[in-house]
Amino acid sequence: MTEPTPRRSSERFDRIPRPGPRADQRRDDQGKEALYSTSPSSAPSAQVEVSCARCGVQTGLSLAGAVRVAASPAVWDPFRDRVRARCPACDQRAWLTVRAGQGLRVLLRRRASE
Amino acid sequence: MSAVVYAVANQKGGVGKTTTVVNVAAATTELGAAVLVVDLDPQACLTFSLGYDPDELEPSLHDVVVGRSRLLDTIIQHGEFDLAPANIDLAGAEVTLLSRTGREFLLRGELADLLDSYDVVFVDCPPSLGVLTINGLTAADQVLIPVQCEMLSHRGVSQLLDTISDVRRLTNRGLEIRGLIATLFDGRTRHSREVLQDLLARYELPLIGPPVRRSIRFAESPTVGTSLIAARQDTPGVAAYRAIARELADLEPDAELLEVAGWSDERRDAVLGVEDDDRD
């Protein structure tokens, strides 16, 4: 049973912000984003970012954390530049795409400018 | 077949999340489904409502969080459906989990082993935005949003939709919003009707089943430790929860139930402010 949707949206409730547009605003990594351990912005020093094709979660890791992921039996697919290893978020074996994280990018930029 | 997991969530307190879980779970059981309910609220209102003393139950969800027990070992077979209980120690989970990577996935991981044993799982989320609520939303396939039809509850829905957007982005991209369940509804007041109309129009969310009318029977039911359905109460609210369960199970609406729930076609059009030419 699908109810007919009312057309009326009252101006009296316009004080309540719509959730959509705010979702695009800059996130405060010490705000509610801090609830998510896998949020890249909650770990701004993450040196490596891992995206899992299975659970769709992007996880920020330190270099040591990335080494731990790679230390589990891992297979590298050079054609699609991805790794089959255990995802740090869902803990299942999956294809992972690995990129330099914010911490590493900042470090490399500093080195280049020196 | 793997169970469908519903998170019953609203950051606003007192909107009828636990009452909704108890009665929709009971009505779903009545339809022949195997149901598990998970109490994710440290206040353990769901556990208490089903007749248990949360402080005397061991192991509970707290033991799962600290790694002493598996979710499977906490399950109690209540007469109506199965329950994974909570107690006040679960309040510590926010702290225990906060330093753990992958903390959002704890419940999802624990439920994964149980999904083949049930048809439906309902997760009763706490009335706050924290690690536990995020766990509930991360573990779920769909969210049910109980909403009391008043201004502050309307605002709570806006905040919850923002949270759901975060969860989809960060931990559970497949999470769907099944719709709103209007609770504690008093159709006599213009404010209730206006809030309901505005919620449905503003967010383009479906209303699941008829609004559940406010009734003292719901407030009384925790004293007996069963749902009102098991207590054989035939109030409009109980009929509404039965209709909601049928809709979640994708069954045809039962005209008699809708009538008892006070949701005849004329009444529905009057409450939702639907004109004849608004109908498809």
Side-chain angles (χ1 to χ4, degrees):
Chain A
M1 182 176 66
T2 305
E3 300 293 357
T5 305
R7 288 179 183 171
R8 281 178 217 165
S9 176
S10 170
E11 289 175 5
R12 291 178 58 204
F13 302 109
D14 283 349
R15 268 186 65 206
I16 298 170
R18 288 175 185 268
R22 286 184 301 152
D24 298 333
Q25 285 180 0
R26 190 190 164 277
R27 303 269 162 181
D28 180 353
D29 56 21
Q30 292 179 323
K32 67 174 177 165
E33 198 93 340
L35 286 167
Y36 301 88
S37 68
T38 55
S39 159
S41 64
S42 73
S45 62
Q47 285 151 336
V48 177
E49 284 177 14
V50 175
S51 301
C52 174
R54 190 172 190 276
C55 66
V57 173
Q58 192 179 46
T59 311
L61 295 173
S62 64
L63 275 177
V67 168
R68 273 197 296 276
V69 168
S72 66
V75 180
W76 178 48
D77 174 2
F79 301 106
R80 300 180 69 177
D81 201 16
R82 57 185 188 167
V83 178
R84 179 120 185 129
R86 193 167 289 279
C87 166
C90 67
D91 205 30
Q92 302 290 321
R93 288 187 67 77
W95 286 109
L96 308 177
T97 308
V98 183
R99 291 187 203 87
Q102 190 179 338
L104 192 57
R105 287 199 299 270
V106 170
L107 196 68
L108 293 173
R109 221 176 294 139
R110 272 194 206 140
R111 280 283 172 91
S113 62
E114 278 173 8
Chain B
M1 204 176 106
S2 187
V4 180
V5 182
Y6 295 107
V8 181
N10 191 332
Q11 289 156 229
K12 170 93 170 59
V15 297
K17 286 184 288 296
T18 301
T19 304
T20 297
V21 169
V22 169
N23 289 285
V24 175
T28 306
T29 305
E30 210 176 42
L31 295 172
V35 176
L36 169 68
V37 297
V38 179
D39 192 352
L40 212 51
D41 184 356
Q43 294 178 70
C45 292
L46 176 60
T47 304
F48 183 82
S49 295
L50 292 172
Y52 301 103
D53 179 352
D55 296 332
E56 290 188 353
L57 292 176
E58 211 172 328
S60 72
L61 222 57
H62 165 67
D63 298 286
V64 178
V65 168
V66 297
R68 275 198 296 260
S69 183
R70 303 302 307 271
L71 187 65
L72 173 66
D73 301 322
T74 68
I75 292 175
I76 299 169
Q77 303 203 323
H78 183 261
E80 299 176 78
F81 39 75
D82 288 359
L83 163 73
N87 62 29
I88 192 66
D89 285 333
L90 190 57
E94 300 283 348
V95 179
T96 308
L97 290 174
L98 212 54
S99 58
R100 200 186 294 175
T101 303
R103 54 184 169 263
E104 308 92 327
F105 300 90
L106 178 86
L107 182 63
R108 183 152 104 181
E110 291 291 329
L111 275 177
D113 299 334
L114 300 172
L115 294 182
D116 289 337
S117 308
Y118 295 96
D119 299 309
V120 183
V121 178
F122 292 99
V123 180
D124 187 17
C125 294
S128 60
L129 172 56
V131 175
L132 290 170
T133 299
I134 303 298
N135 256 274
L137 294 173
T138 301
D141 299 307
Q142 300 186 2
V143 194
L144 309 178
I145 308 175
V147 57
Q148 186 181 359
C149 295
E150 59 176 43
M151 180 70 169
L152 290 179
S153 201
H154 188 317
R155 181 166 176 264
V157 173
S158 166
Q159 292 172 324
L160 179 65
L161 294 178
D162 210 23
T163 300
I164 290 169
S165 151
D166 290 341
V167 167
R168 281 176 174 155
R169 183 170 53 90
L170 296 167
T171 64
N172 184 3
R173 64 180 163 183
L175 183 64
E176 293 173 17
I177 302 173
R178 182 63 185 257
L180 299 175
I181 295 176
T183 58
L184 296 155
F185 188 70
D186 186 348
R188 293 169 303 178
T189 65
R190 189 202 288 182
H191 184 65
S192 282
R193 294 194 302 271
E194 277 184 352
V195 169
L196 183 57
Q197 288 172 15
D198 193 73
L199 277 168
L200 298 175
R202 191 174 293 259
Y203 304 124
E204 297 180 355
L205 294 174
L207 176 67
I208 307 171
V212 181
R213 280 202 215 166
R214 185 188 290 272
S215 164
I216 192 63
R217 297 277 172 260
F218 289 119
E220 290 170 351
S221 74
T223 57
V224 290
T226 65
S227 68
L228 285 187
I229 285 167
R232 300 191 179 283
Q233 293 279 344
D234 287 323
T235 63
V238 168
Y241 277 127
R242 282 196 167 109
I244 289 165
R246 286 186 69 84
E247 189 166 335
L248 292 178
D250 293 326
L251 297 173
E252 285 295 310
D254 180 328
E256 197 179 324
L257 273 182
L258 296 179
E259 192 67 39
V260 177
W263 203 233
S264 61
D265 287 349
E266 303 79 51
R267 184 72 188 136
R268 185 173 63 216
D269 291 354
V271 168
L272 296 181
V274 178
E275 310 291 344
D276 282 344
D277 57 350
D278 288 344
R279 295 192 161 280
D280 294 329

